[in-house]
Amino acid sequence: MRSLRRILAVLFKELTQLRRDRMTFGMVIMIPLIQLILFGYAINTNVRDIPVAVVDQSQTGLSRVLIQMVEATRVVKVVEHHTNVQDAEEAIRSARVRAAFILPDDLDNRIVRSPSAGFGTPPSTDEETSRPVAQWIVDGSDTLIASAIKSLRSMPLSELFREPPNRNTATFEVALFYNPEQRTAVNIVPGLVGVILTMTMIMFTSAAIVRERERGNMEMLINTPIRSLELMIGKIIPYVFIGLVQLGIILGLGHILFGVPLSGNMLDLLGGTLLFIGASLSLGLVLSTIATSQLQAMQMTVFVLLPSILLSGFMFPYEGMPIIAQYIAEALPATHFMRMIRGFVLRDATFLDLYRDVVWLAGFFFLGMIVAAFRFKKRLD
Amino acid sequence: MSRDFREQTVVKARGLTKKFKDFKAVDNLDLSIERGMIYGFLGPNGSGKTTAMRMLTGLLTPSEGSVEVLGLKVPKDAEALKYKIGYMTQTFSLYGDLTVFENLKFVAKIYGLRGSIQKKRIPELLERYELSELKDRFAGKMSGGQRQRLALAAAVIHKPLLLFLDEPTSAVDPESRRNFWEQLFDLSDAGTSIVVSTHFMDEAERCHKIAILEAGRKRADGTPEDLMHAMGANVYEVEGPDLRDMRLKLLALEDVVSAAQLGARLRVLVSRRVHNPEDWLTQRPEVRQATRISKVRPNLEDVFVTSTGEGRQ
Ligand SMILES: Nc1ncnc2c1ncn2[C@@H]1O[C@H](COP(=O)(O)OP(=O)(O)O)[C@@H](O)[C@H]1O
Ligand SMILES: [Mg+2]
């Protein structure tokens, strides 16, 4: 009874302070809002309109049509014309363009012989036909841009002669479930819940105990009969609600602005999010018992946040990472949540389908609380 | 709250020592504080007053020695002790972004006071410590004196048997200090034992008993009167021209414990080793120019100076 009263006292006090702290209060709303709009619109793995330079050494009607065809793919956009390759390379080096399209002077000849032009397939022993019609020089440092241009490699050329593209029989049939239109936002928005919750939850709680220490309130608090677990619980409950508000903002706006489906299993989603919030908060509390200043707490938050963004599967597929990175990723609550929320929101998965992540997050939460309560000593030394 | 009348000594400490690395902030301190008393720790900054109090309340673990407060072993039983003691920290430690009322309410709940008791106790404290009008003021926006009253109200909200006050008046004006001491006597009268630290002589003089601390060691303890009586020096006031020069010459003498100028007079402490101090002093060549030499009653500052050797520095 006394325990409950003390937890409520801390909870109520935190809420009052939070309400008066405009800055923090604003961040609670603004962080998800801004990040959602920023990431939702900005992150796009379907690269378009890459600026390129053209070096047309043949200057024929065919070469001009070929350039137009390439531009029509919307993958690239011609912004510069040069007469020699050196100038085009210079343009790449100075980052005015990302690639150069070089059409040799015997272009017409090459096109006619090319199998892509669709005049039947000449014998493969014919050395002439193995020569590509033109060349791309690409700034390969950005792999996304490089692979976008690489996708132009086997562009069919039959259209050059106003003929229907030859029927390409695919080796494999690919059916795209869950995101058939391949919109990046559908994958990014649910993941964003994980990133934003990681950021705000850990940031707020990691500062929670340090702040009391920095402002001198700790000496008063530890002189009272409050128990460390009561203090911890009272301190994190307000943030649970904040986390749920943020979940609502991101998924709601994600639905309105980016058409992210909300057909999934809402109850499981709520449960999963609560688990993740709990895990993040308890991690924040542990950091708070380690940090000696709010600045340090902030640095530790960033230390956790960066791998949570980069390794959790939010930006790059988990499966593509080396084993070591996968182990690190497994230790982060964000990785498990990323799997869960994409499962719940996009794939209609249930708790049962994802029980491993559920168990892991629950375990992380309890362990975190125990470690935090254990580490928090009602002593000054 | 049950009162334990059997125990007559509220604080017992033996050989209490606190080391920070190699530095002894409190060194082999023995204390015995009786119930109902206002007990003062008198000492300059850095003498270990705060450290000693923190060990008595279980906030710091002693490096050596044993502590028993209200019959409970500290730090072992520190948690049980927390219901019975109040502690007012040296720097204001309530929440600046909460109002007076919210702060008191928070502390009341933390001590587990029931709603009905809170409803009686909080207005009572607001009234007693002249905070009723400031009830909705943010604690961070109040003056030193107002904060001090709030801190005291919060420290006694659960009616502690023993109250620790760490330099409670260091940030307030003399008027507030006087009022504050009246409040302490009221509390003491009502049966609360009080341990208070200070570096003000006049405050120490108000205590029933004091311990003089210097560099972590207890130099003397007892009632202020006893201490003045038993002081190891006789006190004289010397008047005359050129006191600055006279002071330096006197200080050079081995039997002069201290010489301090007070306006147009020089307060000279002559060691008890000198048999006939009055004759000894008047016949010294150093005071040849003096127009008047008179013996005066020692005060606590003299006691402090004699027992700490401050005067020689
Ligand atoms: N946590 C600590 N670490 C190291 N030294 C400390 C610590 N706390 C106090 N001290 C040192 O111990 C001495 C006594 O400090 P303190 O008890 O605060 O004195 P007072 O309260 O009488 O001013 C000081 O020299 C201070 O610097
Ligand atoms: Mg102090």
Side-chain angles (χ1 to χ4, degrees), chain A residues 140-194:
Chain A
S141 45
D142 188 323
T143 52
L144 268 181
I145 288 189
S147 56
I149 291 182
K150 274 197 217 156
S151 72
L152 295 173
R153 222 168 13 180
S154 47
M155 202 176 88
L157 295 176
S158 45
E159 263 179 80
L160 269 178
F161 308 100
R162 299 183 193 292
E163 287 183 13
N166 54 349
R167 206 173 281 287
N168 254 332
T169 316
T171 315
F172 301 111
E173 161 93 24
V174 178
L176 297 169
F177 272 25
Y178 310 123
N179 186 6
E181 299 139 82
Q182 292 291 280
R183 284 180 296 123
T184 316
V186 169
N187 200 37
I188 289 286
V189 171
L192 208 53
V193 176

Short mmCIF file of all heavy atoms in Angstrom, two decimals, chain A residues 140-194:
data_model
loop_
_atom_site.label_atom_id
_atom_site.label_comp_id
_atom_site.label_asym_id
_atom_site.label_seq_id
_atom_site.Cartn_x
_atom_site.Cartn_y
_atom_site.Cartn_z
N GLY A 140 31.11 4.86 -58.69
CA GLY A 140 30.61 3.65 -58.02
C GLY A 140 30.65 3.72 -56.51
O GLY A 140 30.32 2.74 -55.84
N SER A 141 31.01 4.87 -55.93
CA SER A 141 31.15 4.90 -54.47
C SER A 141 29.81 4.68 -53.78
O SER A 141 29.75 4.09 -52.71
CB SER A 141 31.81 6.21 -54.03
OG SER A 141 31.23 7.30 -54.70
N ASP A 142 28.74 5.17 -54.39
CA ASP A 142 27.43 4.91 -53.78
C ASP A 142 26.83 3.68 -54.46
O ASP A 142 26.48 3.71 -55.64
CB ASP A 142 26.53 6.13 -53.96
CG ASP A 142 25.24 5.98 -53.17
OD1 ASP A 142 24.71 4.84 -53.11
OD2 ASP A 142 24.76 6.97 -52.61
N THR A 143 26.70 2.62 -53.70
CA THR A 143 26.30 1.35 -54.32
C THR A 143 24.87 1.40 -54.84
O THR A 143 24.54 0.72 -55.80
CB THR A 143 26.43 0.20 -53.30
OG1 THR A 143 25.73 0.57 -52.13
CG2 THR A 143 27.88 -0.07 -52.97
N LEU A 144 24.02 2.21 -54.21
CA LEU A 144 22.64 2.29 -54.68
C LEU A 144 22.59 2.90 -56.08
O LEU A 144 21.87 2.43 -56.96
CB LEU A 144 21.81 3.15 -53.73
CG LEU A 144 21.09 2.41 -52.61
CD1 LEU A 144 20.30 3.38 -51.77
CD2 LEU A 144 20.19 1.33 -53.17
N ILE A 145 23.36 3.97 -56.26
CA ILE A 145 23.39 4.63 -57.56
C ILE A 145 24.03 3.71 -58.59
O ILE A 145 23.52 3.57 -59.72
CB ILE A 145 24.15 5.97 -57.44
CG1 ILE A 145 23.26 6.93 -56.66
CG2 ILE A 145 24.55 6.51 -58.80
CD1 ILE A 145 23.73 8.33 -56.61
N ALA A 146 25.10 3.06 -58.18
CA ALA A 146 25.77 2.16 -59.11
C ALA A 146 24.81 1.08 -59.59
O ALA A 146 24.72 0.80 -60.79
CB ALA A 146 26.99 1.54 -58.44
N SER A 147 24.05 0.48 -58.65
CA SER A 147 23.20 -0.62 -59.11
C SER A 147 22.02 -0.10 -59.91
O SER A 147 21.50 -0.81 -60.78
CB SER A 147 22.75 -1.49 -57.93
OG SER A 147 22.10 -0.71 -56.98
N ALA A 148 21.59 1.14 -59.65
CA ALA A 148 20.52 1.70 -60.47
C ALA A 148 20.98 1.81 -61.91
O ALA A 148 20.25 1.47 -62.85
CB ALA A 148 20.12 3.07 -59.94
N ILE A 149 22.21 2.26 -62.10
CA ILE A 149 22.70 2.40 -63.47
C ILE A 149 23.02 1.03 -64.08
O ILE A 149 22.78 0.79 -65.26
CB ILE A 149 23.90 3.36 -63.51
CG1 ILE A 149 23.37 4.76 -63.19
CG2 ILE A 149 24.59 3.34 -64.86
CD1 ILE A 149 24.36 5.86 -63.22
N LYS A 150 23.47 0.13 -63.20
CA LYS A 150 23.73 -1.23 -63.70
C LYS A 150 22.45 -1.85 -64.26
O LYS A 150 22.49 -2.69 -65.16
CB LYS A 150 24.27 -2.11 -62.58
CG LYS A 150 25.78 -2.02 -62.40
CD LYS A 150 26.22 -3.22 -61.59
CE LYS A 150 27.33 -2.89 -60.63
NZ LYS A 150 27.39 -3.82 -59.50
N SER A 151 21.31 -1.44 -63.69
CA SER A 151 20.05 -2.03 -64.15
C SER A 151 19.76 -1.63 -65.61
O SER A 151 18.90 -2.23 -66.26
CB SER A 151 18.90 -1.58 -63.26
OG SER A 151 18.60 -0.22 -63.50
N LEU A 152 20.47 -0.61 -66.08
CA LEU A 152 20.27 -0.21 -67.48
C LEU A 152 21.07 -1.08 -68.44
O LEU A 152 20.95 -0.96 -69.66
CB LEU A 152 20.70 1.25 -67.68
CG LEU A 152 19.91 2.32 -66.93
CD1 LEU A 152 20.57 3.66 -67.12
CD2 LEU A 152 18.47 2.35 -67.45
N ARG A 153 21.93 -1.93 -67.83
CA ARG A 153 22.90 -2.66 -68.64
C ARG A 153 22.26 -3.44 -69.78
O ARG A 153 22.72 -3.42 -70.90
CB ARG A 153 23.68 -3.62 -67.74
CG ARG A 153 25.12 -3.62 -68.10
CD ARG A 153 26.01 -4.28 -67.13
NE ARG A 153 25.38 -5.10 -66.10
CZ ARG A 153 26.07 -5.73 -65.18
NH1 ARG A 153 27.38 -5.62 -65.17
NH2 ARG A 153 25.47 -6.45 -64.27
N SER A 154 21.15 -4.13 -69.47
CA SER A 154 20.55 -4.95 -70.53
C SER A 154 19.24 -4.36 -71.02
O SER A 154 18.26 -5.05 -71.20
CB SER A 154 20.35 -6.38 -70.03
OG SER A 154 19.75 -6.34 -68.76
N MET A 155 19.24 -3.04 -71.16
CA MET A 155 18.06 -2.37 -71.66
C MET A 155 17.77 -2.84 -73.09
O MET A 155 18.66 -2.88 -73.93
CB MET A 155 18.33 -0.87 -71.68
CG MET A 155 17.10 -0.02 -71.67
SD MET A 155 17.57 1.72 -71.59
CE MET A 155 17.73 2.04 -73.32
N PRO A 156 16.53 -3.23 -73.39
CA PRO A 156 16.23 -3.68 -74.76
C PRO A 156 16.31 -2.51 -75.74
O PRO A 156 15.92 -1.39 -75.42
CB PRO A 156 14.80 -4.22 -74.66
CG PRO A 156 14.23 -3.61 -73.43
CD PRO A 156 15.36 -3.28 -72.51
N LEU A 157 16.84 -2.77 -76.92
CA LEU A 157 17.04 -1.70 -77.89
C LEU A 157 16.05 -1.74 -79.04
O LEU A 157 16.07 -0.89 -79.92
CB LEU A 157 18.46 -1.76 -78.46
CG LEU A 157 19.57 -1.51 -77.45
CD1 LEU A 157 20.93 -1.70 -78.10
CD2 LEU A 157 19.44 -0.11 -76.86
N SER A 158 15.15 -2.74 -79.05
CA SER A 158 14.28 -2.92 -80.21
C SER A 158 13.41 -1.68 -80.47
O SER A 158 13.08 -1.37 -81.60
CB SER A 158 13.40 -4.16 -80.02
OG SER A 158 12.88 -4.16 -78.73
N GLU A 159 13.10 -0.93 -79.37
CA GLU A 159 12.27 0.24 -79.54
C GLU A 159 12.92 1.26 -80.47
O GLU A 159 12.24 2.11 -81.06
CB GLU A 159 12.01 0.90 -78.18
CG GLU A 159 10.68 0.52 -77.56
CD GLU A 159 10.50 1.17 -76.21
OE1 GLU A 159 10.14 2.34 -76.18
OE2 GLU A 159 10.78 0.50 -75.20
N LEU A 160 14.23 1.19 -80.54
CA LEU A 160 14.95 2.10 -81.43
C LEU A 160 14.39 2.04 -82.85
O LEU A 160 14.42 3.00 -83.59
CB LEU A 160 16.44 1.71 -81.48
CG LEU A 160 17.38 2.35 -80.47
CD1 LEU A 160 18.77 1.80 -80.66
CD2 LEU A 160 17.37 3.86 -80.60
N PHE A 161 13.91 0.88 -83.21
CA PHE A 161 13.42 0.69 -84.57
C PHE A 161 11.91 0.56 -84.60
O PHE A 161 11.34 -0.05 -85.47
CB PHE A 161 14.10 -0.54 -85.19
CG PHE A 161 15.59 -0.47 -85.07
CD1 PHE A 161 16.25 -1.17 -84.08
CD2 PHE A 161 16.31 0.35 -85.93
CE1 PHE A 161 17.61 -1.07 -83.95
CE2 PHE A 161 17.68 0.44 -85.78
CZ PHE A 161 18.34 -0.26 -84.80
N ARG A 162 11.28 1.18 -83.56
CA ARG A 162 9.81 1.21 -83.46
C ARG A 162 9.21 -0.18 -83.57
O ARG A 162 8.19 -0.39 -84.17
CB ARG A 162 9.21 2.10 -84.54
CG ARG A 162 9.69 3.53 -84.44
CD ARG A 162 9.04 4.42 -85.46
NE ARG A 162 9.74 5.69 -85.53
CZ ARG A 162 9.74 6.58 -84.56
NH1 ARG A 162 9.08 6.36 -83.47
NH2 ARG A 162 10.41 7.70 -84.69
N GLU A 163 9.89 -1.14 -83.02
CA GLU A 163 9.32 -2.48 -83.00
C GLU A 163 8.94 -2.81 -81.57
O GLU A 163 9.52 -2.27 -80.63
CB GLU A 163 10.37 -3.51 -83.48
CG GLU A 163 10.59 -3.41 -84.97
CD GLU A 163 11.55 -4.47 -85.44
OE1 GLU A 163 11.82 -5.40 -84.67
OE2 GLU A 163 12.01 -4.35 -86.59
N PRO A 164 7.94 -3.67 -81.40
CA PRO A 164 7.58 -4.05 -80.03
C PRO A 164 8.77 -4.76 -79.38
O PRO A 164 9.51 -5.47 -80.07
CB PRO A 164 6.41 -5.02 -80.23
CG PRO A 164 6.55 -5.53 -81.62
CD PRO A 164 7.18 -4.44 -82.42
N PRO A 165 8.96 -4.53 -78.08
CA PRO A 165 10.07 -5.18 -77.40
C PRO A 165 9.92 -6.69 -77.53
O PRO A 165 8.80 -7.21 -77.47
CB PRO A 165 9.91 -4.73 -75.94
CG PRO A 165 8.52 -4.22 -75.84
CD PRO A 165 8.09 -3.77 -77.19
N ASN A 166 11.04 -7.37 -77.75
CA ASN A 166 10.88 -8.81 -77.91
C ASN A 166 10.50 -9.45 -76.58
O ASN A 166 10.88 -9.01 -75.50
CB ASN A 166 12.14 -9.47 -78.50
CG ASN A 166 13.36 -9.12 -77.72
OD1 ASN A 166 13.27 -8.24 -76.88
ND2 ASN A 166 14.47 -9.77 -78.00
N ARG A 167 9.62 -10.40 -76.71
CA ARG A 167 9.06 -11.06 -75.54
C ARG A 167 10.16 -11.77 -74.75
O ARG A 167 10.74 -12.73 -75.22
CB ARG A 167 8.02 -12.07 -76.02
CG ARG A 167 6.96 -12.37 -75.01
CD ARG A 167 5.90 -13.24 -75.65
NE ARG A 167 4.97 -12.47 -76.49
CZ ARG A 167 4.05 -11.67 -75.96
NH1 ARG A 167 3.96 -11.50 -74.68
NH2 ARG A 167 3.22 -11.03 -76.77
N ASN A 168 10.45 -11.23 -73.58
CA ASN A 168 11.48 -11.84 -72.75
C ASN A 168 10.83 -12.83 -71.82
O ASN A 168 10.03 -12.46 -70.98
CB ASN A 168 12.17 -10.76 -71.90
CG ASN A 168 13.56 -10.48 -72.43
OD1 ASN A 168 14.18 -11.35 -73.02
ND2 ASN A 168 14.02 -9.26 -72.23
N THR A 169 11.13 -14.07 -71.96
CA THR A 169 10.56 -15.04 -71.04
C THR A 169 11.41 -15.07 -69.78
O THR A 169 12.61 -15.32 -69.84
CB THR A 169 10.52 -16.44 -71.65
OG1 THR A 169 10.06 -16.32 -72.99
CG2 THR A 169 9.64 -17.36 -70.86
N ALA A 170 10.75 -14.73 -68.64
CA ALA A 170 11.49 -14.70 -67.39
C ALA A 170 11.87 -16.11 -66.97
O ALA A 170 11.12 -17.05 -67.20
CB ALA A 170 10.64 -14.06 -66.30
N THR A 171 13.03 -16.24 -66.38
CA THR A 171 13.42 -17.54 -65.87
C THR A 171 12.59 -17.87 -64.63
O THR A 171 12.17 -18.98 -64.41
CB THR A 171 14.90 -17.51 -65.45
OG1 THR A 171 15.62 -16.85 -66.47
CG2 THR A 171 15.44 -18.91 -65.24
N PHE A 172 12.34 -16.83 -63.79
CA PHE A 172 11.56 -17.04 -62.56
C PHE A 172 10.37 -16.13 -62.54
O PHE A 172 10.42 -15.01 -63.02
CB PHE A 172 12.41 -16.74 -61.33
CG PHE A 172 13.63 -17.57 -61.25
CD1 PHE A 172 14.89 -17.02 -61.41
CD2 PHE A 172 13.53 -18.95 -61.01
CE1 PHE A 172 16.01 -17.78 -61.33
CE2 PHE A 172 14.66 -19.72 -60.93
CZ PHE A 172 15.91 -19.16 -61.09
N GLU A 173 9.36 -16.60 -61.91
CA GLU A 173 8.19 -15.77 -61.64
C GLU A 173 8.36 -15.22 -60.22
O GLU A 173 8.68 -15.96 -59.30
CB GLU A 173 6.94 -16.65 -61.72
CG GLU A 173 5.72 -16.10 -61.04
CD GLU A 173 4.86 -15.30 -62.01
OE1 GLU A 173 4.95 -15.54 -63.23
OE2 GLU A 173 4.12 -14.43 -61.54
N VAL A 174 8.21 -13.92 -60.01
CA VAL A 174 8.34 -13.33 -58.67
C VAL A 174 7.02 -12.69 -58.28
O VAL A 174 6.54 -11.78 -58.95
CB VAL A 174 9.45 -12.27 -58.65
CG1 VAL A 174 9.55 -11.65 -57.26
CG2 VAL A 174 10.78 -12.88 -59.05
N ALA A 175 6.43 -13.18 -57.19
CA ALA A 175 5.19 -12.56 -56.70
C ALA A 175 5.54 -11.74 -55.46
O ALA A 175 6.10 -12.26 -54.50
CB ALA A 175 4.18 -13.64 -56.34
N LEU A 176 5.23 -10.45 -55.46
CA LEU A 176 5.58 -9.58 -54.33
C LEU A 176 4.40 -9.48 -53.38
O LEU A 176 3.40 -8.83 -53.67
CB LEU A 176 5.97 -8.20 -54.85
CG LEU A 176 7.21 -8.17 -55.74
CD1 LEU A 176 7.36 -6.84 -56.41
CD2 LEU A 176 8.44 -8.52 -54.91
N PHE A 177 4.54 -10.12 -52.23
CA PHE A 177 3.51 -10.03 -51.20
C PHE A 177 3.70 -8.77 -50.38
O PHE A 177 4.80 -8.21 -50.32
CB PHE A 177 3.64 -11.23 -50.25
CG PHE A 177 2.87 -12.45 -50.70
CD1 PHE A 177 2.56 -12.64 -52.04
CD2 PHE A 177 2.45 -13.40 -49.77
CE1 PHE A 177 1.87 -13.77 -52.45
CE2 PHE A 177 1.75 -14.53 -50.17
CZ PHE A 177 1.47 -14.71 -51.51
N TYR A 178 2.69 -8.32 -49.70
CA TYR A 178 2.72 -7.29 -48.65
C TYR A 178 3.04 -5.87 -49.12
O TYR A 178 2.63 -4.91 -48.50
CB TYR A 178 3.69 -7.67 -47.52
CG TYR A 178 3.45 -9.07 -47.02
CD1 TYR A 178 4.45 -10.03 -47.01
CD2 TYR A 178 2.18 -9.44 -46.58
CE1 TYR A 178 4.21 -11.31 -46.57
CE2 TYR A 178 1.93 -10.73 -46.14
CZ TYR A 178 2.95 -11.67 -46.14
OH TYR A 178 2.72 -12.93 -45.71
N ASN A 179 3.84 -5.73 -50.16
CA ASN A 179 4.14 -4.38 -50.63
C ASN A 179 4.32 -4.46 -52.14
O ASN A 179 5.39 -4.19 -52.67
CB ASN A 179 5.41 -3.86 -49.96
CG ASN A 179 5.69 -2.41 -50.29
OD1 ASN A 179 4.86 -1.74 -50.93
ND2 ASN A 179 6.84 -1.92 -49.88
N PRO A 180 3.23 -4.82 -52.83
CA PRO A 180 3.36 -5.12 -54.26
C PRO A 180 3.84 -3.94 -55.09
O PRO A 180 4.52 -4.11 -56.08
CB PRO A 180 1.94 -5.55 -54.67
CG PRO A 180 1.05 -5.06 -53.60
CD PRO A 180 1.85 -4.99 -52.36
N GLU A 181 3.49 -2.74 -54.64
CA GLU A 181 3.92 -1.58 -55.44
C GLU A 181 5.35 -1.17 -55.11
O GLU A 181 5.85 -0.20 -55.65
CB GLU A 181 2.99 -0.39 -55.19
CG GLU A 181 1.56 -0.65 -55.57
CD GLU A 181 0.61 -0.07 -54.53
OE1 GLU A 181 0.34 1.13 -54.60
OE2 GLU A 181 0.18 -0.82 -53.63
N GLN A 182 5.96 -1.90 -54.18
CA GLN A 182 7.35 -1.63 -53.81
C GLN A 182 7.57 -0.18 -53.37
O GLN A 182 8.49 0.48 -53.78
CB GLN A 182 8.28 -1.96 -54.99
CG GLN A 182 8.32 -3.43 -55.27
CD GLN A 182 9.03 -4.19 -54.17
OE1 GLN A 182 10.24 -4.23 -54.12
NE2 GLN A 182 8.26 -4.79 -53.27
N ARG A 183 6.67 0.32 -52.52
CA ARG A 183 6.86 1.67 -52.00
C ARG A 183 7.73 1.60 -50.74
O ARG A 183 7.44 0.84 -49.82
CB ARG A 183 5.52 2.33 -51.68
CG ARG A 183 4.79 2.79 -52.95
CD ARG A 183 3.47 3.43 -52.64
NE ARG A 183 2.55 2.48 -52.04
CZ ARG A 183 1.97 2.65 -50.86
NH1 ARG A 183 2.24 3.71 -50.15
NH2 ARG A 183 1.14 1.74 -50.39
N THR A 184 8.79 2.36 -50.72
CA THR A 184 9.72 2.32 -49.60
C THR A 184 9.04 2.69 -48.29
O THR A 184 9.30 2.11 -47.25
CB THR A 184 10.90 3.28 -49.84
OG1 THR A 184 11.32 3.13 -51.18
CG2 THR A 184 12.05 2.97 -48.92
N ALA A 185 8.14 3.67 -48.34
CA ALA A 185 7.50 4.17 -47.12
C ALA A 185 6.79 3.06 -46.35
O ALA A 185 6.76 3.07 -45.12
CB ALA A 185 6.52 5.29 -47.45
N VAL A 186 6.25 2.10 -47.06
CA VAL A 186 5.52 1.02 -46.40
C VAL A 186 6.44 0.25 -45.45
O VAL A 186 6.04 -0.19 -44.38
CB VAL A 186 4.90 0.08 -47.45
CG1 VAL A 186 4.38 -1.19 -46.81
CG2 VAL A 186 3.78 0.80 -48.18
N ASN A 187 7.69 0.13 -45.85
CA ASN A 187 8.65 -0.58 -45.02
C ASN A 187 9.28 0.37 -43.98
O ASN A 187 9.55 -0.01 -42.85
CB ASN A 187 9.75 -1.17 -45.91
CG ASN A 187 10.48 -2.28 -45.21
OD1 ASN A 187 9.87 -3.05 -44.47
ND2 ASN A 187 11.79 -2.34 -45.42
N ILE A 188 9.48 1.62 -44.38
CA ILE A 188 10.18 2.59 -43.52
C ILE A 188 9.31 3.03 -42.33
O ILE A 188 9.80 3.10 -41.21
CB ILE A 188 10.58 3.84 -44.35
CG1 ILE A 188 11.71 3.50 -45.31
CG2 ILE A 188 10.97 5.00 -43.46
CD1 ILE A 188 13.05 3.32 -44.67
N VAL A 189 8.04 3.32 -42.58
CA VAL A 189 7.22 3.92 -41.53
C VAL A 189 7.09 3.04 -40.28
O VAL A 189 7.36 3.51 -39.17
CB VAL A 189 5.85 4.37 -42.07
CG1 VAL A 189 4.93 4.78 -40.95
CG2 VAL A 189 6.04 5.52 -43.05
N PRO A 190 6.74 1.76 -40.42
CA PRO A 190 6.69 0.95 -39.20
C PRO A 190 8.06 0.86 -38.52
O PRO A 190 8.17 0.92 -37.30
CB PRO A 190 6.26 -0.43 -39.70
CG PRO A 190 5.62 -0.18 -41.01
CD PRO A 190 6.32 1.00 -41.60
N GLY A 191 9.11 0.79 -39.33
CA GLY A 191 10.46 0.75 -38.75
C GLY A 191 10.77 2.03 -38.00
O GLY A 191 11.46 2.02 -36.98
N LEU A 192 10.22 3.11 -38.50
CA LEU A 192 10.45 4.41 -37.86
C LEU A 192 9.92 4.44 -36.43
O LEU A 192 10.48 5.10 -35.56
CB LEU A 192 9.76 5.49 -38.70
CG LEU A 192 10.35 6.88 -38.66
CD1 LEU A 192 11.83 6.82 -38.97
CD2 LEU A 192 9.62 7.78 -39.63
N VAL A 193 8.84 3.70 -36.20
CA VAL A 193 8.32 3.61 -34.83
C VAL A 193 9.44 3.11 -33.92
O VAL A 193 9.68 3.65 -32.84
CB VAL A 193 7.10 2.67 -34.75
CG1 VAL A 193 6.64 2.52 -33.31
CG2 VAL A 193 5.96 3.18 -35.62
N GLY A 194 10.13 2.08 -34.39
CA GLY A 194 11.22 1.51 -33.59
C GLY A 194 12.33 2.51 -33.35
O GLY A 194 12.82 2.66 -32.23
#
